[in-house]
Amino acid sequence: MPEIKTYSEAELIPLLKQREQSAFGYLYDHYSGALNTVVLSIIPDKTLCGDVLQEVFIKIWRQIDSYDESKGRLFTWMLNITRNAAIDMVRSKGYQNTKQNQELTESVYDAGGSALPNVDKIGLRKVVHTLREEYRVLVDLSYFQGFTQEEIAKMLDIPLGTVKTRLRAALIQLRQLVKP
Amino acid sequence: MDTQAYIQSGIIESYVLGLATAEEAAELQQLCAQYPEIKAAVEAFELELEQQAMNDAIAPDAAVKTALMATLFNEEQQQAIVQPIGTGAPVIPMHPVYPSHHKTWQTIAAAAILLFVVSAGFNIYYYNHYQSARNEYQALLQERNNLQASNDTYKAKFNEAASSLRMMGDTAMHAVKMNGLPGKEGSYATVYWNKQNNDVYLLANNLPQTPAGHQYQLWAIVNGQPVDAGMISDCAGALCKMKTIANAQAFAITLEKEGGSPTPTLTAMLVMGKV
């Protein structure tokens, strides 16, 4: 059995920037589960989710030099890469096409009472799901679907200022729910 | 600044979750550097979020790691195609598509450059060939012109000789042999005199070279008096046309100063012959 090593972020970052493959292997083993949950909370398709996760780690490996420790933790940086990659995939043409096919399949399964993975039960989604409706919609559109506050204001036909205040209130409440 | 109000405004959560605008993020980063309590608040939420995500971790399919490592670290990563993960569903190729395109263009570009170099080589080679062929052609042209010129010269000489022959064959033509006078026996010349039209031609068979500033002059003796029959200019080897003379009894040649004299210098007489 190979020796199992554990690294702190501070130890890991310089090794990654030096292109240490073993450090990257550790990074994957340690964080892939948490990031996989983030992808799954946006893309329910497990196969596509694997592709996105792979793309995410390729980006992390190739763009590690652009990570700036002064701006936040490594995990926060990876989390944002993951969320953006998943949203990009959802917005891509290929995904939109497969989704149309899938909706047919899903309706068949639903009729048969089969339990497909429900995004509302995964990761942060499950917490967001417990927020009250006007908050839940804002977090869903901005965090899980990647719309800007201007776009949301137009979509919901409410003033931009209201979107901003309401979203911040929603996030404060979300934090209370996330706290262990 | 009321840092507590700022911390509790929800901006920390917006920023960490990636929902803050660029201006808000820039402002927060600046305040973090300025107020340690703001930085601490950001870190606290980051840790909470990370903890929550780690607790909710769902391990991905093992095939994802295999495919990822193969894509990033295999030597054949240029050709690597993302391995299908799970079952059935379409695999969307990611990075490998780009390098293969890239490679095609590289190959085409390399081939084009090679072709260009080879073509340039041929250009130089054929240009050199063209140059030498051109030079040879010029040399041949020159040679042909020379041959033509000498041919023309020979033709002219031949025509002259033929007309001389014709002339000498004329029945009215008299040949007057002029032999060397005593002391100048080696000298010898011939006058051809046409008695009908009085044409006089001279053939300088053997006359010594004239000294500088001197010329031979032909005289005809008409009724006992010497008459100038013309200067003998440089027409060696061929007949020289002289002045027309009627009723000559004899011909003689004297050496005179250049341009001739009105009367012959008898002491300088070289040859003489009677008709």
Side-chain angles (χ1 to χ4, degrees):
Chain A
M1 280 289 282
E3 191 188 347
I4 295 165
K5 276 185 170 178
T6 54
Y7 297 92
S8 68
E9 265 197 23
E11 291 168 331
L12 205 51
I13 292 158
L15 291 175
L16 288 172
K17 291 198 174 183
Q18 288 161 27
R19 310 267 149 201
E20 275 289 338
Q21 283 190 28
S22 60
F24 185 72
Y26 173 82
L27 184 86
Y28 182 87
D29 292 340
H30 193 64
Y31 293 106
S32 61
L35 298 181
N36 188 41
T37 305
V38 174
V39 180
L40 278 172
S41 71
I42 295 169
I43 303 172
D45 185 310
K46 224 185 136 202
T47 308
L48 272 182
C49 182
D51 290 349
V52 172
L53 191 66
Q54 186 178 334
E55 193 187 342
V56 163
F57 274 94
I58 289 169
K59 273 187 182 161
I60 290 170
W61 178 248
R62 294 199 172 142
Q63 296 173 9
I64 188 69
D65 286 327
S66 71
Y67 164 63
D68 181 353
E69 288 175 71
S70 71
K71 290 181 181 170
R73 289 177 61 77
L74 178 65
F75 181 79
T76 309
W77 180 71
M78 294 193 298
L79 182 68
N80 281 321
I81 288 180
T82 308
R83 189 172 69 88
N84 289 333
I87 290 169
D88 284 349
M89 171 59 94
V90 168
R91 290 182 167 190
S92 73
K93 239 183 180 164
Y95 180 82
Q96 294 300 330
N97 290 342
T98 53
K99 206 184 164 212
Q100 278 174 1
N101 298 336
Q102 240 169 26
E103 273 163 1
L104 288 174
T105 326
E106 271 172 30
S107 60
V108 171
Y109 277 118
D110 285 348
S114 168
L116 271 182
N118 187 340
V119 287
D120 289 341
K121 290 171 188 151
I122 292 169
L124 205 59
R125 276 261 199 198
K126 127 188 118 189
V127 187
V128 172
H129 201 57
T130 63
L131 291 172
R132 68 171 196 259
E133 179 62 14
E134 59 174 7
Y135 285 175
R136 192 189 61 74
V137 169
L138 287 184
V139 176
D140 185 58
L141 287 174
S142 60
Y143 189 77
F144 293 106
Q145 294 190 47
F147 291 105
T148 65
Q149 295 179 17
E150 286 85 356
E151 286 167 333
I152 294 168
K154 271 186 196 164
M155 285 162 79
L156 301 181
D157 198 22
I158 44 177
L160 178 62
T162 311
V163 173
K164 198 177 279 287
T165 342
R166 215 180 269 176
L167 180 61
R168 284 196 183 182
L171 295 179
I172 291 169
Q173 205 174 80
L174 183 67
R175 182 178 181 178
Q176 298 308 317
L177 295 168
V178 165
K179 251 184 189 165
Chain B
M1 177 181 172
D2 187 349
T3 53
Q4 278 312 305
Y6 183 77
I7 288 168
Q8 284 163 14
S9 71
I11 180 66
I12 308 284
E13 291 77 7
S14 293
Y15 173 75
V16 173
L17 289 168
L19 299 178
T21 63
E23 300 86 63
E24 287 170 342
E27 186 194 31
L28 187 137
Q29 277 160 17
Q30 204 191 336
L31 291 172
C32 272
Q34 217 175 331
Y35 301 100
E37 61 267 38
I38 294 178
K39 190 171 171 60
V42 169
E43 275 174 11
F45 182 56
E46 285 191 273
L47 276 171
E48 282 170 29
L49 198 63
E50 183 172 337
Q51 193 57 55
Q52 185 269 338
M54 295 304 270
N55 289 342
D56 283 345
I58 301 168
D61 200 307
V64 176
K65 187 180 181 182
T66 316
L68 173 70
M69 295 299 175
T71 306
L72 281 182
F73 304 122
N74 268 13
E75 281 182 1
E76 305 85 25
Q77 64 170 286
Q78 292 291 322
Q79 289 88 36
I81 303 263
V82 176
Q83 299 298 312
I85 300 158
T87 51
V91 171
I92 294 150
M94 293 187 282
H95 292 277
V97 174
Y98 168 69
S100 77
H101 262 275
H102 198 58
K103 235 188 161 182
T104 312
W105 280 110
Q106 271 184 344
T107 313
I108 291 170
I113 289 166
L114 187 71
L115 223 76
F116 174 75
V117 169
V118 169
S119 142
F122 271 104
N123 278 351
I124 292 165
Y125 177 76
Y126 283 120
Y127 179 73
N128 285 341
H129 259 252
Y130 162 76
Q131 279 294 0
S132 66
R134 206 175 110 100
N135 290 342
E136 278 168 30
Y137 168 74
Q138 289 292 352
L140 283 173
L141 204 66
Q142 185 63 43
E143 202 176 315
R144 195 201 75 93
N145 286 344
N146 290 347
L147 284 173
Q148 182 66 49
S150 64
N151 188 29
D152 288 346
T153 310
Y154 285 121
K155 204 166 146 186
K157 280 189 179 172
F158 174 80
N159 285 340
E160 207 175 300
S163 76
S164 300
L165 269 176
R166 254 198 324 276
M167 210 165 58
M168 282 185 271
D170 195 321
T171 46
M173 188 68 85
H174 284 258
V176 181
K177 289 191 171 82
M178 297 185 292
N179 290 312
L181 293 173
K184 287 146 188 157
E185 283 87 357
S187 300
Y188 171 54
T190 313
V191 164
Y192 294 92
W193 179 39
N194 191 318
K195 279 187 172 172
Q196 274 176 3
N197 59 14
N198 300 327
D199 276 352
V200 175
Y201 297 90
L202 177 82
L203 179 64
N205 301 88
N206 186 20
L207 294 176
Q209 195 75 32
T210 52
H214 290 75
Q215 246 180 325
Y216 290 121
Q217 191 168 2
L218 181 68
W219 302 93
I221 312 298
V222 181
N223 301 325
Q225 293 299 314
V227 175
D228 174 36
M231 305 307 296
I232 301 166
S233 47
D234 192 22
C235 51
L239 287 174
C240 295
K241 178 98 164 66
M242 308 307 284
K243 291 181 177 169
T244 52
I245 297 293
N247 304 316
Q249 288 88 49
F251 288 95
I253 292 175
T254 59
L255 185 66
E256 304 291 340
K257 61 180 186 293
E258 213 163 339
S261 309
T263 53
T265 312
L266 295 173
T267 51
M269 189 175 288
L270 207 67
V271 292
M272 186 171 177
K274 288 191 170 118
V275 176

